[in-house]
Amino acid sequence: MAWETFVTSGHPAEAKSDHVRDDILASWLRSMEMGVDAATLASRKISDEDEIALRRQHNAHLRRAASAAFRRLEPHLSDAKSIMLLADDQGVIIDAIGDASVLDDGQGIHLEVGGQWNEKTVGTNGIGTALKTGKPMYVHAAEHFVEGVQAWTCAGAPIRNPFDNSVIGVVDLSGPPDIFRRHNIALVLAAAREIEIALAEQQRQDRTQLLEAFLQSKYSQADNSVLLLDRNGRILFRRGVDETTFPSSDKLLVGQKLLPDLEAFNAKDLPTLLPPNVEAQGLERLVLDNDYRGAALFLKCDRSLRRPEIGARRIQPRPNVSEEPIHIVCASPKMLEAIELAERAAQANVSVLIQGETGVGKELFARLIHSRLGRRDSPYVPVNCAAISNDLIGAELFGYVDGAFTGAARGGRAGKFEQANGGLLCLDEIGDMPIELQPYLLRALEQRAIYRMGDSKRRPVDVRLVAMTNRDLRQEIEKGKFRRDLFYRIGVVTIEVPPLRERGSDILALLEHFSDHFAKETGRPKMSFGADALKMLASYRWPGNVRELRNAVQRIYLVCSGPVVTVKDLPPELRDDFDESEADSLESILSGNSGDLESIEASAIRRTIAAEKGNLTRVAAVLGISRPTLYRKMRQYRIDRSVGRPD
């Protein structure tokens, strides 16, 4: 047997001849070099219960992120004679669920909470080897390095911090050898991705709450370079910190742990903890809803070097493409947070899912990520999954060879994956991808390779994927229209682009931006907006989001004759939103006076609520939709049921 040959001879060449996998052999070598005793009968366990409790508390964020996945999988593990384990970044098990008898058996080798399963302690195993390599690993029976564990099979997948892509834990499936299936690795990999998405959502909420605490504090208006730190001393946001004003700005990146735990931190130690050439003016605690959220660290800088703050991100035109630079105009916390997450995601080689309503500017975020990839000539290849027929989308994505199907171009053709090699592939409307094609997309992403239609040749591709949707993919999963494993694969980082109605003063900033643009495009003097018109524009719900605002400004420059824009110059659908007595009629809709589908839908809901005097059960029945859908639409369009109640 290969294991016996290796531990007795210590020669990898002899074990290699017995077809031992390279990853296993490399781990055996590490285990031997670290002095692990192959005759060991069990791993070790932390004996101090207080230390175990402290370790679990320290990893509360990881345990919380894993809880949903563990709850979903637990009912299925008993029938499978399996257990699922969560380990921290040191290989110590902090949670365990599954078959009760298998959990009992695991205690005999300390495969339980508090058990230590790094390679240094117990050699080759699913937890420790996945932790060491940063790759999903299955270790079956005699592939384990120590003899006492060879009655088990396990599959582990690393869990990565969405902030910096570092490995912070492992999720592992273990049990007796007869549960061994190679595809067990797919299960733990999907669970790890689900945990990473939950971690990203936790971090997004933490950033939002910290930003809100900062904006509500007396310090937010100060003209300072500032770092916002969470309670653990990790940088979540920065303002006025760049390479011009701070030579050490590369050491002040979002996601970096800059200071120790802030609750036990002494401000006098700041000078010794900060990077060279970085000085602090002060540290202020931030509180929201009577809860400590973190701190604002104000930095000293040479004001003569300070550049004025601008409320935009500039994206340069792509090489060999005739286009103007793109500006993402923003100042709202939610938008700044989404931009910061996109720029950070560009630094990590992970797939990104961009979600948001129609017209919010999702493709701008894909372009932003592409512009931050580092290579000026990296390709950007967009694909609209909804605009390609089900019969052709496979050929469009993966390409085909000569004669693959009737009508195929002679000589074949490369697909979008190959065209995007070395760059970014942007899949718009990913929710419209046919369910039967989704396994092929998942395989291409996992293997980083594609097969053209009609061909058996494997073609490696290095593609960064950005997927976009205005659908709720979780609902699509429940309907059976979208694969759960694909969702976790494309959503390693998920960016929620806020609707325009949630961006506050950004509406007026965008109005100014588009007014500048269309004044230049039409050759007209820049128009000014009257107070009543500005008030209406700022109060409108903008169901079509930024796209609707842009179209409204363009229309104004095309049809308005005077230098000042008044309420009567605004598009009819915008004015109608404030005048329920002039709700859209069928004639006005057919004549094109009602702006977009969202406006029509909102108007239909308002009219029906008024007709049914606020009885939402009847409103849903009349409109032919469920009550939950009606409530969701009312929230989306900010419709109050009181519009149908008598005075």
Side-chain angles (χ1 to χ4, degrees), residues 182 205 248 646:
R182 290 198 179 192
Q205 291 176 358
S248 299

Side-chain angles (χ1 to χ4, degrees), residues 181-462:
R181 303 289 186 277
R182 290 198 179 192
H183 60 248
N184 286 350
I185 202 73
L187 175 63
V188 293
L189 189 59
R193 294 290 176 265
E194 186 173 352
I195 294 167
E196 288 169 352
I197 289 171
L199 282 169
E201 176 62 18
Q202 282 182 23
Q203 292 170 355
R204 185 192 69 78
Q205 291 176 358
D206 288 345
R207 285 195 304 274
T208 299
Q209 290 171 345
L210 187 60
L211 276 170
E212 287 178 0
F214 178 63
L215 292 172
Q216 292 180 22
S217 73
K218 63 183 179 182
Y219 312 108
S220 63
Q221 301 303 317
D223 184 22
N224 290 95
S225 298
V226 63
L227 302 173
L228 298 189
L229 310 174
D230 68 9
R231 285 168 286 196
N232 299 316
R234 190 183 298 274
I235 302 172
L236 294 188
F237 182 79
R238 67 183 200 174
R239 184 181 74 184
V241 179
D242 55 42
E243 64 276 5
T244 302
T245 53
F246 288 92
S248 299
S249 64
D250 60 331
K251 297 182 176 63
L252 302 173
L253 299 177
V254 169
Q256 178 181 332
K257 185 170 173 60
L258 183 68
L259 299 175
D261 189 328
L262 294 183
E263 293 188 81
F265 171 70
N266 192 327
K268 341 181 264 196
D269 298 327
L270 266 178
T272 61
L273 296 171
L274 294 176
N277 304 318
V278 175
E279 294 182 70
Q281 285 185 311
L283 184 80
E284 300 292 345
R285 293 164 64 92
L286 297 174
V287 176
L288 180 67
D289 298 331
N290 297 318
D291 190 14
Y292 174 48
R293 303 292 181 181
L297 178 65
F298 298 96
L299 304 177
K300 291 181 182 178
C301 71
D302 185 347
R303 293 189 172 272
S304 64
L305 299 177
R306 288 286 301 274
R307 295 189 295 195
E309 294 287 333
I310 58 172
R313 292 296 194 279
R314 191 171 189 269
I315 303 172
Q316 293 288 355
R318 290 164 288 175
N320 306 316
V321 177
S322 177
E323 62 182 2
E324 294 294 321
I326 296 173
H327 293 85
I328 304 179
V329 177
C330 66
S332 68
K334 286 186 178 180
M335 196 67 174
L336 288 171
E337 177 191 352
I339 287 174
E340 176 264 312
L341 183 57
E343 292 182 324
R344 188 150 40 82
Q347 306 304 314
N349 189 20
V350 295
S351 301
V352 178
L353 175 64
I354 303 174
Q355 298 184 137
E357 296 176 9
T358 299
V360 293
K362 295 185 290 292
E363 189 176 357
L364 297 186
F365 280 79
R367 288 290 309 277
L368 178 64
I369 293 171
H370 173 252
S371 71
R372 303 297 194 263
L373 292 184
R375 278 184 49 191
R376 181 79 179 93
D377 60 344
S378 61
Y380 176 83
V381 180
V383 180
N384 189 329
C385 298
I388 306 172
S389 71
N390 290 4
D391 296 334
L392 295 178
I393 190 168
E396 190 74 16
L397 287 177
F398 305 117
Y400 53 85
V401 295
D402 193 3
F405 53 86
T406 304
R410 176 169 295 190
R413 194 179 71 179
K416 299 298 187 183
F417 263 93
E418 289 181 77
Q419 294 173 28
N421 192 32
L424 187 143
L425 176 65
C426 176
L427 296 183
D428 194 8
E429 304 295 352
I430 185 73
D432 288 306
M433 176 170 286
I435 188 73
E436 61 270 15
L437 187 64
Q438 292 174 24
Y440 298 99
L441 175 59
L442 179 63
R443 184 176 70 173
L445 296 174
E446 295 287 1
Q447 298 183 356
R448 303 182 71 82
I450 58 99
Y451 295 85
R452 289 187 183 180
M453 291 182 64
D455 193 9
S456 60
K457 179 182 177 182
R458 184 179 186 273
R459 300 172 189 265
V461 288
D462 178 18

Side-chain angles (χ1 to χ4, degrees), residues 63-76:
R63 297 179 62 220
R64 189 165 62 249
S67 61
F70 274 37
R71 280 197 306 271
R72 181 172 58 81
L73 292 170
E74 186 167 20
H76 308 287

